[in-house]
Amino acid sequence: MMLSFLFVTVAVSFISVNGKQCRVQSGNENLILSINKKLLRSLGNKNIAPNPSLYIGLRLSDVHNQKTEQEYLIRLQEDMKEPTVSSALGSDSQRSTGLLALHTLALRASCETANSANMRKQLQQLKHRMHQEKEHISNTNTPQSNYYQYSLGVLALCVQNVKVDPHVIRKLVNEVKKVSEIHSICIDTLSMGGLALQCLRHLDAFYDEHLNKDIASAALKVKETLQKAQDDNGIIGNKFSTLLAVQVLLAMESEHSGCSKSLERLVTESKIGTFYNPMALSMLLPVLKHKTYLDIGTMDCLNETDNILLSAKPAGDIQITENVLVNLKVEDTLNHINPEVFKDTVNIPKGSSLLNVLNALKENEKLTFETENSLWGPYLTVVNKVKALAKDKTYWQLRTLDTVLLEGIADYKVYHDDTIIIRKVRW
Ligand code: B12
């Protein structure tokens, strides 16, 4: 009896000591502060719709610039009042499930509680949307949006202790179990599912034993799949999906989670400037602060600091003098008769983005294209009048000769002799 007590004590302390290892090593405080400042500065762009993820990332930090965050919250609230969002393709559409969920999480991160009229309305809307999503899955086998957004919806309700419809949960559990078994999993989607499931584990009083068991085993499956996907350098999927995967490992922190190796890698990548897209920064800052989206539910906004000062923006890049040659091919693989849409070589200043390349061709009246604004930046939707739309489950894939780009048109920087292929494919 005494021996088994001793064993339990030792085992528990081993887990907690090991758990604590998933922390950024000391000496990186200035790096983390500079990331916090970059994210705060990114709020200044008034030309694009406010992004709830950026606000959430900042709220999960332990240091703040209250005025900047407060002003952004006002912009977010104004935006939430808009019933529809305008699309670059000319039609007004309803706000996506993911955006609705992120707005709800942002509102909670501002410490608006579940009883406020504002929040009640938001939660009601989200519950209704999740019902529609669930029906859509029943009828077509896929959500109206995608499983990443479906999971975000569950998460946003769950962190506020709102009972999520068991049928909605069941669909998430099934999907997570299914995708964990297949080879080409989308790590981001699996991670968001894992966060939602981990949150649901704390709401077990709402559900029967059978569902609780399934939630726990699906959450474990996510953790195991992420651990299996982790490479020797700590990358899980790719550099960007590692951001969310680390959140999951942090949220499920336990013995040998592999979390610290990936966290260390994120620190290294941060030092070499891999993460500059505000969306990536908003997912990076919480994990550097050892926080996850699950922590939003317990935020009380009391005794917060207000000590981040934003000095003038640091000087921009050095003047570019050199030019580079870039080959661009546009193909519509779904058009078997005439797949080649466009082909040319462009002479462009070094350091240009793929968007700069497309703009240069547009200015010379060689090519036309359209984009739609998204949380990650401009999303390419139409090239030379050929549309690739979500409703048809097609998209313009950005690739080189042998790899798929890890960034969008505004972020990817072309280099000399680069060959970019923009290919219409199905997803
Ligand atoms: C689902 C998804 C897709 C779907 C979107 C279709 C759909 N309706 O489901 C498909 C397969 C088409 C797709 C395409 C691409 N994706 Co994608 N995608 C995602 C995922 C898993 C979820 C997006 C989402 O629903 N967000 C929630 C909602 C609320 O946000 P949203 O901004 O309104 O969502 C829309 C946009 O994000 C847009 N979108 C999707 N991917 C991308 C990528 C970029 C760069 C941009 C600007 C927009 C965009 O589609 C979303 C749905 O309408 C994210 C993962 C993540 N962590 O965000 C990756 C992610 C955003 N995608 C990524 C990438 C790289 C791409 C591609 C550039 C891949 C490629 N080489 O072609 C292309 C975009 C090309 C283009 N035409 O501009 C990266 C972005 C990393 C970065 N640094 O920019 C992510 C983070 C995945 C990853 N870890 O690598 N994607």
Side-chain angles (χ1 to χ4, degrees):
M1 168 71 180
M2 189 60 194
L3 198 69
S4 66
F5 172 74
L6 201 71
F7 173 76
V8 170
T9 317
V10 170
V12 169
S13 56
F14 177 68
I15 288 172
S16 65
V17 168
N18 241 336
K20 283 205 178 98
Q21 282 179 356
C22 196
R23 298 287 179 268
V24 176
Q25 283 173 358
S26 58
N28 288 302
E29 295 74 14
N30 282 343
L31 173 79
I32 301 176
L33 184 62
S34 75
I35 289 165
N36 209 326
K37 285 188 178 178
K38 267 188 213 156
L39 188 53
L40 271 165
R41 280 203 190 89
S42 75
L43 305 188
N45 187 349
K46 301 238 161 57
N47 299 327
I48 47 173
N51 177 342
S53 282
L54 311 192
Y55 180 76
I56 293 168
L58 286 164
R59 296 301 302 153
L60 284 169
S61 177
D62 52 355
V63 285
H64 300 275
N65 179 313
Q66 298 290 354
K67 183 170 177 279
T68 311
E69 288 176 20
Q70 195 59 35
E71 282 171 1
Y72 203 66
L73 175 65
I74 294 169
R75 282 190 63 203
L76 275 171
Q77 284 174 327
E78 299 273 290
D79 193 57
M80 272 185 246
K81 281 187 208 145
E82 298 287 324
T84 56
V85 279
S86 60
S87 138
L89 294 169
S91 59
D92 275 356
S93 54
Q94 65 171 4
R95 190 164 279 111
S96 71
T97 302
L99 213 47
L100 202 59
L102 284 171
H103 273 300
T104 311
L105 285 169
L107 207 57
R108 176 62 189 91
S110 75
C111 289
E112 185 111 27
T113 59
N115 333 327
S116 80
N118 217 357
M119 185 63 97
R120 277 209 306 269
K121 193 175 146 217
Q122 191 75 16
L123 289 172
Q124 212 41 51
Q125 220 181 329
L126 186 56
K127 272 182 110 171
H128 178 65
R129 182 66 68 79
M130 292 313 291
H131 174 76
Q132 289 177 334
E133 288 274 20
K134 180 204 72 182
E135 291 297 298
H136 204 274
I137 299 174
S138 298
N139 297 335
T140 66
N141 256 331
T142 56
Q144 225 171 339
S145 55
N146 54 46
Y147 272 107
Y148 181 92
Q149 300 193 24
Y150 189 82
S151 304
L152 254 176
V154 173
L155 181 70
L157 292 170
C158 174
V159 295
Q160 308 221 44
N161 297 332
V162 172
K163 183 177 178 187
V164 184
D165 177 353
H167 296 103
V168 169
I169 301 178
R170 177 61 60 200
K171 301 249 183 289
L172 177 63
V173 166
N174 292 349
E175 176 67 12
V176 161
K177 287 197 166 158
K178 193 174 87 194
V179 297
S180 300
E181 301 300 331
I182 53 175
H183 184 63
S184 60
I185 37 163
C186 172
I187 296 291
D188 297 85
T189 303
L190 192 70
S191 298
M192 197 50 91
L195 284 175
L197 291 164
Q198 181 66 7
C199 178
L200 289 168
R201 291 182 71 183
H202 300 292
L203 291 191
D204 53 356
F206 283 149
Y207 308 110
D208 63 39
E209 201 186 330
H210 185 60
L211 186 55
N212 280 329
K213 252 192 181 164
D214 282 352
I215 291 171
S217 80
L220 184 67
K221 193 94 204 149
V222 174
K223 185 172 142 190
E224 287 170 355
T225 311
L226 294 179
Q227 287 170 326
K228 253 191 255 157
Q230 186 186 49
D231 74 10
D232 292 345
N233 300 313
I235 293 294
I236 305 174
N238 65 37
K239 292 171 189 176
F240 299 100
S241 54
T242 306
L243 295 167
L244 215 51
V246 169
Q247 268 209 38
V248 181
L249 297 181
L250 263 172
M252 299 183 188
E253 223 176 343
S254 65
E255 231 182 322
H256 311 306
S257 75
C259 177
S260 30
K261 200 208 280 187
S262 295
L263 189 58
E264 250 172 61
R265 177 62 188 256
L266 291 181
V267 171
T268 311
E269 290 294 336
S270 304
K271 286 182 183 158
I272 59 171
T274 302
F275 305 117
Y276 48 85
N277 186 307
M279 193 62 187
L281 295 175
S282 78
M283 292 179 171
L284 173 67
L285 186 60
V287 293
L288 295 180
K289 297 279 182 183
H290 319 120
K291 289 278 168 54
T292 76
Y293 290 157
L294 267 56
D295 292 302
I296 298 172
T298 51
M299 284 175 67
D300 60 12
C301 303
L302 298 173
N303 306 320
E304 285 190 350
T305 65
D306 186 12
N307 51 1
I308 295 198
L309 291 175
L310 286 181
S311 47
K313 223 177 163 181
D317 291 339
I318 325 137
Q319 282 291 311
I320 301 153
T321 46
E322 233 178 293
N323 266 21
V324 292
L325 283 178
V326 177
N327 308 304
L328 181 75
K329 286 183 193 165
V330 183
E331 309 168 347
D332 177 359
T333 49
L334 307 174
N335 181 340
H336 302 296
I337 302 159
N338 188 12
E340 188 174 297
V341 178
F342 181 81
K343 196 175 167 185
D344 203 357
T345 299
V346 188
N347 195 346
I348 190 112
K350 194 176 173 182
S352 296
S353 65
L354 177 53
L355 180 59
N356 295 142
V357 171
L358 295 173
N359 275 327
L361 287 164
K362 196 174 192 174
E363 268 166 36
N364 293 334
E365 293 180 7
K366 289 184 168 177
L367 175 111
T368 63
F369 71 96
E370 287 175 41
T371 61
E372 198 161 308
N373 267 335
S374 77
L375 303 184
W376 282 91
Y379 177 80
L380 189 63
T381 48
V382 188
V383 185
N384 273 0
K385 300 212 168 83
V386 182
K387 292 179 185 176
L389 303 176
K391 70 173 173 54
D392 309 325
K393 294 220 181 295
T394 60
Y395 75 107
W396 285 111
Q397 187 183 58
L398 316 175
R399 33 184 319 131
T400 60
L401 287 172
D402 48 12
T403 59
V404 174
L405 300 190
L406 292 185
E407 294 178 306
I409 50 170
D411 287 354
Y412 180 79
K413 303 288 178 294
V414 292
Y415 57 88
H416 184 61
D417 221 12
D418 206 358
T419 296
I420 301 290
I421 303 163
I422 300 181
R423 183 179 287 167
K424 183 172 163 176
V425 295
R426 239 178 250 293
W427 50 271

